[in-house]
């Protein structure tokens, strides 16, 4: 059974940083394509980032480009999301999601991913 477990969320002031982690078990990590999504209260889940297994194809939503960076550590079965210069609009529950084949299109959708973690809360507030 595939498990994705997020950690690293918290309450931070605007301008600060957080590093989220997603640890994968139950699946060959090197063959799992991972994306990050977030959901704010009362809003739909939205894509944040995506990276293919080789790291040469990435996607970031426009509002986080230049501030967020996704990376993967195959030795630790872990994907990270480094988030810098956080803004109140970044607040939400952050989920990592996995799929076992490349995205068939450029823009990741929640429906593209079959494996999900339970999320970690990120709150950006002064």
């Amino acid at each position: 059974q595939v498990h994705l477990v997020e950690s690293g969320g918290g309450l931070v002031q605007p301008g600060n940083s957080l590093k989220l982690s997603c640890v994968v078990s139950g699946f060959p990590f090197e063959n799992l394509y991972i994306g990050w999504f977030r959901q704010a209260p009362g809003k739909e889940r939205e894509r944040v980032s995506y990276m293919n297994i080789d790291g040469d194809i990435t996607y970031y939503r426009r509002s986080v480009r230049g501030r967020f960076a996704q990376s993967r550590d195959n030795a630790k079965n872990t994907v990270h999301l480094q988030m810098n210069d956080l803004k109140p609009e970044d607040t939400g529950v952050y989920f990592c999601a996995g799929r076992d084949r490349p995205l068939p299109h450029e823009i990741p959708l929640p429906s593209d991913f079959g494996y999900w973690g339970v999320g970690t809360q990120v709150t950006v507030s002064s």
Side-chain angles (χ1 to χ4, degrees), residues 9 11 13 24 31 35-36 38-39 47 50 56 58 62 75-76 81 85 87 89 101 107 111-112 116-117 124:
L11 170 63
Q13 293 185 338
V24 178
N31 295 331
W36 285 93
R38 67 188 181 190
Q39 189 165 16
R47 52 187 169 265
Y50 167 81
D56 58 350
T58 60
R62 184 171 300 180
K76 297 183 178 180
L81 184 66
D85 189 22
K87 306 177 185 299
E89 52 265 39
R101 61 200 65 193
I107 308 299
S111 58
D112 291 326
W116 290 84
V124 185

Side-chain angles (χ1 to χ4, degrees), residues 38 46-49 59-66 68:
R38 67 188 181 190
E46 62 183 22
R47 52 187 169 265
V48 176
S49 67
Y59 167 85
Y60 295 95
R61 71 179 296 108
R62 184 171 300 180
S63 63
V64 308
R65 290 175 193 168
F68 289 15

Side-chain angles (χ1 to χ4, degrees), residues 14-114:
N16 283 2
S17 299
L18 281 174
K19 186 174 184 178
L20 305 184
S21 298
C22 172
V23 178
V24 178
S25 61
F27 192 91
F29 179 78
E30 63 274 13
N31 295 331
L32 197 65
Y33 298 75
I34 301 288
W36 285 93
F37 293 80
R38 67 188 181 190
Q39 189 165 16
K43 295 188 176 181
E44 292 187 353
R45 192 167 299 188
E46 62 183 22
R47 52 187 169 265
V48 176
S49 67
Y50 167 81
M51 177 182 285
N52 72 340
I53 58 175
D54 297 323
D56 58 350
I57 297 176
T58 60
Y59 167 85
Y60 295 95
R61 71 179 296 108
R62 184 171 300 180
S63 63
V64 308
R65 290 175 193 168
R67 301 189 296 121
F68 289 15
Q70 180 173 333
S71 61
R72 60 190 292 146
D73 184 343
N74 287 348
K76 297 183 178 180
N77 290 4
T78 302
V79 173
H80 299 289
L81 184 66
Q82 177 68 45
M83 307 187 296
N84 299 325
D85 189 22
L86 283 160
K87 306 177 185 299
E89 52 265 39
D90 295 318
T91 294
V93 179
Y94 282 68
F95 302 89
C96 62
R99 56 181 282 121
D100 60 5
R101 61 200 65 193
L103 275 179
H105 39 252
E106 180 182 358
I107 308 299
L109 302 171
S111 58
D112 291 326
F113 297 82

Side-chain angles (χ1 to χ4, degrees), residues 107-126:
I107 308 299
L109 302 171
S111 58
D112 291 326
F113 297 82
Y115 308 118
W116 290 84
V118 298
T120 184
Q121 176 71 45
V122 172
T123 304
V124 185
S125 175
S126 54

